Amino acid sequence: MNRDRFITPDWAAPSTVQAGTSCRQGGVSEPPYDSLNPASHVGDAPQAVATNRARLGLPGEPGWLQQVHGTRVAVLEHNGRIGLEADAAYTRTPGVICAVLTADCLPVLLCDRNGREVAAVHAGWRGLSSGVIEAALDQFQAPADQILAWLGPAIGPGVYEIGDEVRRAFVGPDPDSDEAFTPTRPDHWLMDIYALARRRLQQRGVEQINGGEYCTFTDAERFYSYRRDGVTGRMASVIWLAPDDSC
């Protein structure tokens, strides 16, 4: 992994776990995808996307998903399974890279304390409210209190305005999640997607949760933001298991 192009999690993961979220600098894509866009589905030039993916410096081709804001988890045993329809990827196989693409939605990276299993989750509000994080946790053999979570760059709570139907999707089944919403104007709210993700992780027994200090919308130098720019690139959040001597 080319660490100059990634934000790496500040967490207590074992050395066999390699993980990070790419930033937008250091690639070859032209505006509005400038410059390190690894997403092939947003209209960018295919050759530019291929070059950008190579510049990530990953040890293999990730299992790129066709993300649909659902809760399906792809269990990966080999690299390069492109186009599988799912919003999370899980593996226990060393060298297999789990990846999700985001540009405001929340990427969640998961691993167990022993470094034997990992997952990457794409959690937009639809997937988050429907249980995509819980679906990924269900794949783990380790108990929840032995799982570490890192919340990667997403749209921040000071700018993520949503309508009342989105708030109801969370507060209806979980009234106490109302604390993650701040009213702005009639039937509109600012939503803290980080707080909602932490709450769901904690409800499932995950105790060690890190990250959640970024805002893709306001930090245009480092991050793509669909809500800010419309046509734009994506960041890649990746995680895999590597032997100790190859980290």
Side-chain angles (χ1 to χ4, degrees), residues 9-27:
D10 181 12
W11 60 352
S15 61
T16 51
V17 175
Q18 300 293 288
T21 296
S22 64
C23 295
R24 68 180 297 170
Q25 309 101 327

Side-chain angles (χ1 to χ4, degrees), residues 11 26 47 51 59 69 72 74 82 85 93 100 116 118 136-137 144 153 159 180 183 185 191 202 213 233 240 242:
W11 60 352
Q47 185 56 52
T51 300
H69 296 275
R72 182 181 177 187
I82 299 174
E85 188 174 289
T93 305
V100 292
R116 296 174 180 169
V118 296
L137 291 171
V159 293
R185 52 195 171 100
M191 186 177 93
Q202 291 166 347
E213 65 267 32
W240 73 95

Side-chain angles (χ1 to χ4, degrees), residues 31-43:
Y33 309 104
D34 48 319
S35 63
L36 190 65
N37 167 51
S40 62
H41 68 288
V42 295

Side-chain angles (χ1 to χ4, degrees), residues 8 39 46-49 62 67 89 94 98-99 112 115 135 168 176 210 219 228-229 247:
T8 55
Q47 185 56 52
V49 173
Q67 298 169 189
C98 298
D112 71 303
R168 287 197 303 268
D176 288 341
N210 295 94
D219 192 345
R228 182 188 64 230
D229 298 326
C247 296

Side-chain angles (χ1 to χ4, degrees), residues 199-216:
R199 179 172 178 82
R200 287 177 171 262
L201 287 161
Q202 291 166 347
Q203 286 175 331
R204 288 295 299 267
V206 178
E207 301 170 354
Q208 187 64 51
I209 306 169
N210 295 94
E213 65 267 32
Y214 304 100
C215 179
T216 51

Side-chain angles (χ1 to χ4, degrees), residues 104-235:
D104 285 335
C105 293
L106 173 64
V108 182
L109 300 181
L110 304 168
C111 73
D112 71 303
R113 292 184 184 276
N114 292 323
R116 296 174 180 169
E117 45 190 338
V118 296
V121 182
H122 162 242
W125 75 262
R126 289 181 180 86
L128 186 60
S129 64
S130 298
V132 68
I133 289 178
E134 292 88 339
L137 291 171
D138 285 343
Q139 297 294 330
F140 278 75
Q141 296 180 347
D145 63 359
Q146 295 299 305
I147 295 175
L148 310 179
W150 183 70
L151 309 181
I155 188 168
V159 293
Y160 190 13
E161 188 179 52
I162 50 85
D164 199 48
E165 74 283 358
V166 177
R167 176 178 168 273
R168 287 197 303 268
F170 292 94
V171 177
D174 181 15
D176 288 341
S177 67
D178 186 58
E179 295 179 357
F181 298 87
T182 302
T184 54
R185 52 195 171 100
D187 297 325
H188 286 78
W189 309 75
L190 289 175
M191 186 177 93
D192 188 342
I193 197 169
Y194 289 125
L196 291 166
R198 288 190 193 98
R199 179 172 178 82
R200 287 177 171 262
L201 287 161
Q202 291 166 347
Q203 286 175 331
R204 288 295 299 267
V206 178
E207 301 170 354
Q208 187 64 51
I209 306 169
N210 295 94
E213 65 267 32
Y214 304 100
C215 179
T216 51
F217 185 93
T218 57
D219 192 345
E221 181 178 354
R222 286 194 294 178
F223 303 126
Y224 297 109
S225 170
Y226 179 80
R227 179 168 284 212
R228 182 188 64 230
D229 298 326
V231 178
T232 190
R234 299 292 188 270
M235 288 84 69

